[in-house]
Amino acid sequence: MTTLKIVSVVGARPNFMKIAPFIRAVEDWNKNDGVRIDHRLVHTGQHYDDNMSRAFFEALVIPEADINLGIGSGTHAEQVGQTMIAFEKVVRQFQPDWIVVVGDVNATCACSITAKKERVRLAHIEAGLRSGDMDMPEEINRLVTDRLSDLLFTPDRLSNDNLRREGVSEERIKFVGNIMIDTLEVQREKAKILSVAEIVSGNLKEGQDSKMNVLRGEKYSLLTLHRPSNVDDPQTFGEIVDLLTNELARDMPLLWTIHPRTEKQLKTFGLWIKVVSVDNVLALNPLGYHELLRLNMGATVVLTDSGGLQEECCVLGTPCLTLRRNTERPVTLQEHGGASILVGNDRDQIRRAYYKILQGGRTPSRPELWDGRTAPRIVEALVQKSSLG
Ligand code: UD1
């Protein structure tokens, strides 16, 4: 019996929902006779807070990582450099046949470079996404990772086109669908039975208990923000906070689940007090997978700069304002049948789109192969490619 050695890598929160189905598909594969997969999971440690990491391993039943590189926070060069140094040792010791990376975070890019320098075959899950915006660190990570990958697993056909345009040969591209939706499909029933009020009351930032009484009706909007383009410039971020707290939150309660870097910036720019002092704005800790999914299912509108949330809104049909000028996920936009509108970070544009999108209802849409069976397709392709190669 042949054994195929695979190392897969996670580093930051959005990676965890992508690796969970892959690991399950590997386990399922190993129940059959034939090629056996010896799999090791590496966590680079880019995200390390319990609520940014451990909570997701538990909720999504991801086995503990075999190796944690403990990289933590730092500048981009520090994160990428230290990850490469630590990961090289793992690769040399385990000598895998394949290294599998997901998404577009610094861990993805760092381990891709190491994989190729160690002459190990590299597969990228979520390949071919392009925002065209080189100011985004994730765009640099995507370009590097895809350029180096031997096997590129794409979530939609637009991504295939992007890769072809860049000269990637046809046999390296494999359209498999969106692996995040595998997780959504497995977990949606568990999310559905959660209570919105309990999620909110259990996750409110300190000193806001009195705000629970604004959450009486059915309606609420849901906000997440963490991109440097929105939260790193005091003027831009100040204007967004102003619009949200003074205007949009008047219509209905605004549930804001706040990323650690966003909280840090709110405090640095003196905006924190504004957020916590407005009755209709409920500031929440970063939420677990099921909790955020439940809030998304019930939200009247989502405002976000997260790529994953755009995709979940698409499948759930939640009207979504994407607070970015571009997206690497055009398939989630209304013009492609999705639920999302790009609004950048300009106040007037956000306000106009907000009132417009409220007129429409929920229109779930499921792009091709976003069917919950992406991970088994990936595992099969890896095995097939190995016996050919
Ligand atoms: C990273 C990813 C981004 C992804 C996001 C999801 C890159 C380039 N960016 O951005 O694509 O959408 O994760 O969250 O990889 N922090 C904590 N605890 C943690 C993690 C981070 O407090 O567990 C704080 C630290 O102050 C840190 C800051 O958040 O400096 C930013 O974390 P980092 O991983 O560098 O980037 P993200 O902005 O989270």
Side-chain angles (χ1 to χ4, degrees):
M1 190 171 64
T2 328
T3 300
L4 192 61
K5 289 165 79 173
I6 299 181
V7 164
S8 68
V9 179
V10 289
R13 186 172 61 178
N15 292 162
F16 306 137
M17 29 295 214
K18 293 168 195 161
I19 213 67
F22 176 75
I23 292 176
R24 203 168 335 101
V26 167
E27 285 165 1
D28 288 346
W29 179 272
N30 280 340
K31 288 176 191 154
N32 301 320
D33 296 336
V35 178
R36 203 191 146 268
I37 299 175
D38 182 3
H39 172 255
R40 303 292 154 94
L41 177 64
V42 173
H43 189 334
T44 68
Q46 179 176 342
H47 284 179
Y48 45 84
D49 282 356
D50 278 357
N51 58 7
M52 300 292 285
S53 178
R54 191 186 51 80
F56 287 82
F57 275 67
E58 284 174 8
L60 304 178
V61 205
I62 304 170
E64 200 178 329
D66 295 285
I67 297 146
N68 191 315
L69 305 180
I71 299 306
S73 297
T75 66
H76 288 265
E78 283 166 350
Q79 283 185 338
V80 171
Q82 282 162 14
T83 303
M84 285 179 66
I85 294 166
F87 188 60
E88 184 183 64
K89 297 190 179 82
V90 175
V91 177
R92 288 189 178 173
Q93 199 187 352
F94 185 58
Q95 303 202 339
D97 300 299
W98 284 96
I99 289 170
V100 174
V101 294
V102 298
D104 55 17
V105 303
N106 284 340
T108 315
C109 172
C111 294
S112 297
I113 299 172
T114 307
K116 288 321 288 176
K117 285 188 180 275
E118 290 300 301
R119 308 171 71 115
V120 178
R121 278 186 290 184
L122 176 68
H124 182 205
I125 301 179
E126 206 186 73
L129 300 185
R130 296 289 181 270
S131 67
D133 179 355
M134 291 295 277
D135 286 337
M136 277 183 89
E138 294 80 2
E139 185 72 354
I140 301 166
N141 293 340
R142 289 179 204 117
L143 287 167
V144 171
T145 303
D146 285 348
R147 184 69 185 81
L148 297 177
S149 291
D150 299 282
L151 201 44
L152 296 104
F153 294 115
T154 58
D156 54 54
R157 291 190 187 274
L158 298 171
S159 299
N160 297 353
D161 297 341
N162 291 337
L163 294 173
R164 282 187 197 117
R165 260 198 304 275
E166 290 172 14
V168 179
S169 60
E170 212 57 46
E171 71 275 6
R172 286 164 59 208
I173 305 173
K174 184 99 183 107
F175 170 42
V176 290
N178 188 341
I179 198 161
M180 284 249 309
I181 306 306
D182 290 24
T183 297
L184 189 143
E185 292 307 333
V186 169
Q187 306 295 345
R188 69 195 295 168
E189 292 307 314
K190 206 165 163 193
K192 214 161 146 184
I193 55 174
L194 299 178
S195 138
V196 170
E198 277 173 27
I199 295 169
V200 174
S201 67
N203 289 284
L204 274 177
K205 294 274 179 196
E206 229 170 279
Q208 298 186 104
D209 294 347
S210 61
K211 294 186 181 180
M212 276 312 286
N213 62 8
V214 303
L215 200 63
R216 272 180 304 228
E218 298 278 284
K219 290 190 159 194
Y220 60 85
S221 54
L222 176 64
L223 170 71
T224 82
L225 282 178
H226 73 287
R227 298 262 163 225
S229 57
N230 285 325
V231 306
D232 280 4
D233 173 58
Q235 164 96 19
T236 307
F237 198 19
E239 286 184 13
I240 295 176
V241 170
D242 210 47
L243 172 73
L244 295 166
T245 53
N246 290 342
E247 295 187 48
L248 305 192
R250 277 204 217 128
D251 286 343
M252 58 186 130
L254 174 72
L255 308 184
W256 186 353
T257 163
I258 305 187
H259 187 286
R261 66 175 288 131
T262 308
E263 177 164 345
K264 198 157 75 179
Q265 301 297 55
L266 284 168
K267 288 178 176 164
T268 307
F269 302 151
L271 297 165
W272 184 253
I273 184 71
K274 223 171 181 173
V275 173
V276 291
S277 61
V278 176
D279 269 354
N280 247 13
V281 177
L282 290 88
L284 306 176
N285 291 316
L287 296 177
Y289 181 81
H290 297 99
E291 287 75 14
L292 187 62
L293 183 58
R294 174 66 188 92
L295 293 191
N296 188 349
M297 286 171 169
T300 305
V301 54
V302 164
L303 299 104
T304 190
D305 59 11
S306 143
L309 210 48
Q310 280 171 62
E311 294 176 337
E312 286 159 354
C313 285
C314 180
V315 171
L316 298 173
T318 319
C320 173
L321 299 185
T322 299
L323 275 77
R324 291 176 46 190
R325 291 206 180 82
N326 45 58
T327 177
E328 62 288 339
R329 294 166 163 88
V331 78
T332 65
L333 295 177
Q334 284 189 346
E335 56 260 42
H336 290 279
S340 169
I341 307 179
L342 279 181
V343 291
N345 50 22
D346 171 79
R347 249 197 295 205
D348 294 334
Q349 211 183 336
I350 300 171
R351 186 190 296 111
R352 258 195 318 266
Y354 175 82
Y355 289 108
K356 184 171 160 225
I357 211 165
L358 289 184
Q359 329 254 293
R362 284 183 165 266
T363 44
S365 123
R366 203 177 274 280
E368 190 180 354
L369 295 190
W370 290 27
D371 57 0
R373 295 197 299 273
T374 291
R377 284 193 277 269
I378 289 173
V379 171
E380 203 181 319
L382 278 169
V383 174
Q384 219 172 51
K385 198 79 178 174
S386 308
S387 46
L388 291 177

Short mmCIF file of all heavy atoms in Angstrom, two decimals, residues 13 22 51 54 66 92 103 115 118 132 143 149 198 226 234-235 292 294-295 312 314 328 372 377:
data_model
loop_
_atom_site.label_atom_id
_atom_site.label_comp_id
_atom_site.label_asym_id
_atom_site.label_seq_id
_atom_site.Cartn_x
_atom_site.Cartn_y
_atom_site.Cartn_z
N ARG A 13 -7.27 33.18 11.59
CA ARG A 13 -8.68 32.78 11.73
C ARG A 13 -9.37 32.31 10.45
O ARG A 13 -10.00 31.25 10.47
CB ARG A 13 -9.44 33.95 12.39
CG ARG A 13 -10.89 33.61 12.71
CD ARG A 13 -11.52 34.72 13.53
NE ARG A 13 -11.54 35.99 12.83
CZ ARG A 13 -12.08 37.11 13.34
NH1 ARG A 13 -12.62 37.12 14.53
NH2 ARG A 13 -12.05 38.24 12.64
N PHE A 22 -11.06 19.80 4.83
CA PHE A 22 -9.95 19.07 4.20
C PHE A 22 -9.52 17.92 5.09
O PHE A 22 -9.34 16.78 4.63
CB PHE A 22 -8.77 20.03 3.93
CG PHE A 22 -7.56 19.34 3.37
CD1 PHE A 22 -7.54 18.92 2.04
CD2 PHE A 22 -6.46 19.07 4.17
CE1 PHE A 22 -6.44 18.26 1.51
CE2 PHE A 22 -5.36 18.41 3.66
CZ PHE A 22 -5.34 18.01 2.32
N ASN A 51 -9.94 33.27 21.40
CA ASN A 51 -11.13 33.50 20.59
C ASN A 51 -10.83 33.72 19.10
O ASN A 51 -11.74 33.77 18.28
CB ASN A 51 -12.00 34.63 21.16
CG ASN A 51 -11.25 35.92 21.28
OD1 ASN A 51 -10.11 36.03 20.80
ND2 ASN A 51 -11.86 36.92 21.88
N ARG A 54 -8.14 28.95 19.18
CA ARG A 54 -8.56 27.70 19.86
C ARG A 54 -10.06 27.46 19.74
O ARG A 54 -10.51 26.34 19.49
CB ARG A 54 -8.14 27.73 21.33
CG ARG A 54 -8.28 26.38 22.04
CD ARG A 54 -7.99 26.49 23.53
NE ARG A 54 -8.75 27.54 24.18
CZ ARG A 54 -10.02 27.45 24.55
NH1 ARG A 54 -10.68 26.32 24.36
NH2 ARG A 54 -10.65 28.46 25.10
N ASP A 66 -0.43 19.26 14.85
CA ASP A 66 0.71 18.41 15.22
C ASP A 66 1.89 19.27 15.64
O ASP A 66 2.65 18.91 16.52
CB ASP A 66 1.10 17.53 14.02
CG ASP A 66 -0.02 16.57 13.67
OD1 ASP A 66 -0.19 15.60 14.39
OD2 ASP A 66 -0.77 16.83 12.69
N ARG A 92 11.88 19.61 6.46
CA ARG A 92 13.07 18.74 6.37
C ARG A 92 12.89 17.48 7.19
O ARG A 92 13.31 16.40 6.80
CB ARG A 92 14.32 19.50 6.83
CG ARG A 92 14.71 20.52 5.80
CD ARG A 92 16.04 21.15 6.06
NE ARG A 92 16.30 22.08 4.95
CZ ARG A 92 17.31 22.91 4.89
NH1 ARG A 92 18.19 22.94 5.88
NH2 ARG A 92 17.46 23.71 3.86
N GLY A 103 -6.05 29.86 1.42
CA GLY A 103 -6.31 31.30 1.59
C GLY A 103 -5.16 32.19 1.20
O GLY A 103 -4.38 31.87 0.29
N ALA A 115 8.07 25.69 0.85
CA ALA A 115 7.78 24.43 0.16
C ALA A 115 8.59 24.33 -1.12
O ALA A 115 9.27 23.32 -1.38
CB ALA A 115 6.28 24.35 -0.16
N GLU A 118 12.29 23.95 -0.76
CA GLU A 118 12.63 22.58 -0.31
C GLU A 118 12.22 21.55 -1.36
O GLU A 118 12.23 20.35 -1.10
CB GLU A 118 11.95 22.29 1.04
CG GLU A 118 12.53 23.09 2.21
CD GLU A 118 14.01 22.80 2.44
OE1 GLU A 118 14.35 21.63 2.68
OE2 GLU A 118 14.83 23.74 2.35
N GLY A 132 -6.61 42.76 -7.69
CA GLY A 132 -5.91 43.74 -8.52
C GLY A 132 -5.35 44.88 -7.70
O GLY A 132 -4.84 45.86 -8.23
N LEU A 143 -0.60 36.26 -5.13
CA LEU A 143 0.22 36.20 -6.35
C LEU A 143 1.41 35.28 -6.16
O LEU A 143 1.70 34.44 -7.02
CB LEU A 143 0.70 37.61 -6.72
CG LEU A 143 -0.37 38.53 -7.30
CD1 LEU A 143 0.12 39.97 -7.33
CD2 LEU A 143 -0.74 38.09 -8.71
N SER A 149 2.58 27.48 -6.95
CA SER A 149 1.82 26.24 -6.72
C SER A 149 1.86 25.29 -7.92
O SER A 149 1.80 25.72 -9.07
CB SER A 149 0.37 26.57 -6.40
OG SER A 149 0.30 27.18 -5.13
N GLU A 198 -28.78 35.57 23.34
CA GLU A 198 -27.75 34.94 24.19
C GLU A 198 -26.35 35.15 23.63
O GLU A 198 -25.39 35.37 24.38
CB GLU A 198 -28.03 33.44 24.34
CG GLU A 198 -29.06 33.16 25.43
CD GLU A 198 -29.49 31.70 25.47
OE1 GLU A 198 -28.69 30.82 25.06
OE2 GLU A 198 -30.63 31.44 25.90
N HIS A 226 -11.69 45.07 9.60
CA HIS A 226 -10.33 44.88 10.08
C HIS A 226 -9.26 45.26 9.06
O HIS A 226 -8.08 45.30 9.39
CB HIS A 226 -10.10 43.43 10.52
CG HIS A 226 -10.01 42.46 9.37
ND1 HIS A 226 -11.11 42.09 8.65
CD2 HIS A 226 -8.96 41.82 8.83
CE1 HIS A 226 -10.73 41.24 7.71
NE2 HIS A 226 -9.43 41.06 7.79
N PRO A 234 -6.68 57.46 10.69
CA PRO A 234 -7.65 58.04 11.65
C PRO A 234 -8.80 58.79 10.98
O PRO A 234 -9.95 58.72 11.42
CB PRO A 234 -6.80 58.99 12.50
CG PRO A 234 -5.45 59.03 11.91
CD PRO A 234 -5.31 57.91 10.95
N GLN A 235 -8.49 59.50 9.89
CA GLN A 235 -9.53 60.28 9.20
C GLN A 235 -10.59 59.34 8.60
O GLN A 235 -11.78 59.47 8.82
CB GLN A 235 -8.84 61.11 8.10
CG GLN A 235 -9.77 61.68 7.06
CD GLN A 235 -10.14 63.12 7.41
OE1 GLN A 235 -9.44 63.75 8.19
NE2 GLN A 235 -11.23 63.63 6.85
N LEU A 292 -21.22 33.69 14.87
CA LEU A 292 -21.25 34.68 13.77
C LEU A 292 -22.19 34.22 12.65
O LEU A 292 -22.94 35.01 12.08
CB LEU A 292 -19.84 34.92 13.22
CG LEU A 292 -19.76 36.05 12.20
CD1 LEU A 292 -20.16 37.39 12.81
CD2 LEU A 292 -18.37 36.19 11.60
N ARG A 294 -24.86 32.43 13.00
CA ARG A 294 -26.23 32.66 13.46
C ARG A 294 -26.61 34.13 13.30
O ARG A 294 -27.73 34.44 12.83
CB ARG A 294 -26.38 32.22 14.93
CG ARG A 294 -27.73 32.55 15.55
CD ARG A 294 -28.85 31.77 14.87
NE ARG A 294 -30.17 32.21 15.30
CZ ARG A 294 -30.91 33.15 14.72
NH1 ARG A 294 -30.45 33.77 13.63
NH2 ARG A 294 -32.10 33.46 15.17
N LEU A 295 -25.71 35.02 13.69
CA LEU A 295 -26.03 36.45 13.55
C LEU A 295 -26.19 36.81 12.07
O LEU A 295 -27.06 37.62 11.71
CB LEU A 295 -24.95 37.33 14.19
CG LEU A 295 -24.80 37.26 15.71
CD1 LEU A 295 -23.88 38.39 16.20
CD2 LEU A 295 -26.14 37.34 16.44
N GLU A 312 -20.27 33.96 2.67
CA GLU A 312 -21.35 33.38 3.47
C GLU A 312 -22.66 34.14 3.22
O GLU A 312 -23.73 33.53 3.14
CB GLU A 312 -20.96 33.38 4.95
CG GLU A 312 -19.93 32.30 5.25
CD GLU A 312 -19.11 32.51 6.52
OE1 GLU A 312 -19.24 33.57 7.16
OE2 GLU A 312 -18.33 31.62 6.86
N CYS A 314 -23.51 35.50 0.49
CA CYS A 314 -23.95 35.08 -0.84
C CYS A 314 -24.84 33.84 -0.71
O CYS A 314 -25.96 33.79 -1.23
CB CYS A 314 -22.70 34.80 -1.68
SG CYS A 314 -22.97 34.27 -3.34
N GLU A 328 -11.63 40.48 -4.40
CA GLU A 328 -11.08 39.31 -5.10
C GLU A 328 -12.14 38.24 -5.28
O GLU A 328 -11.89 37.20 -5.84
CB GLU A 328 -9.86 38.75 -4.34
CG GLU A 328 -10.14 38.24 -2.92
CD GLU A 328 -10.42 39.37 -1.93
OE1 GLU A 328 -10.04 40.52 -2.21
OE2 GLU A 328 -11.07 39.10 -0.90
N GLY A 372 -20.79 22.11 -0.88
CA GLY A 372 -20.46 21.38 0.35
C GLY A 372 -19.60 20.15 0.10
O GLY A 372 -19.31 19.41 1.03
N ARG A 377 -13.26 16.49 -3.37
CA ARG A 377 -12.72 16.67 -4.73
C ARG A 377 -11.23 16.98 -4.67
O ARG A 377 -10.44 16.54 -5.50
CB ARG A 377 -13.47 17.80 -5.45
CG ARG A 377 -14.85 17.42 -5.93
CD ARG A 377 -15.41 18.47 -6.92
NE ARG A 377 -16.01 19.60 -6.24
CZ ARG A 377 -17.29 19.69 -5.89
NH1 ARG A 377 -18.14 18.73 -6.19
NH2 ARG A 377 -17.75 20.74 -5.28
#
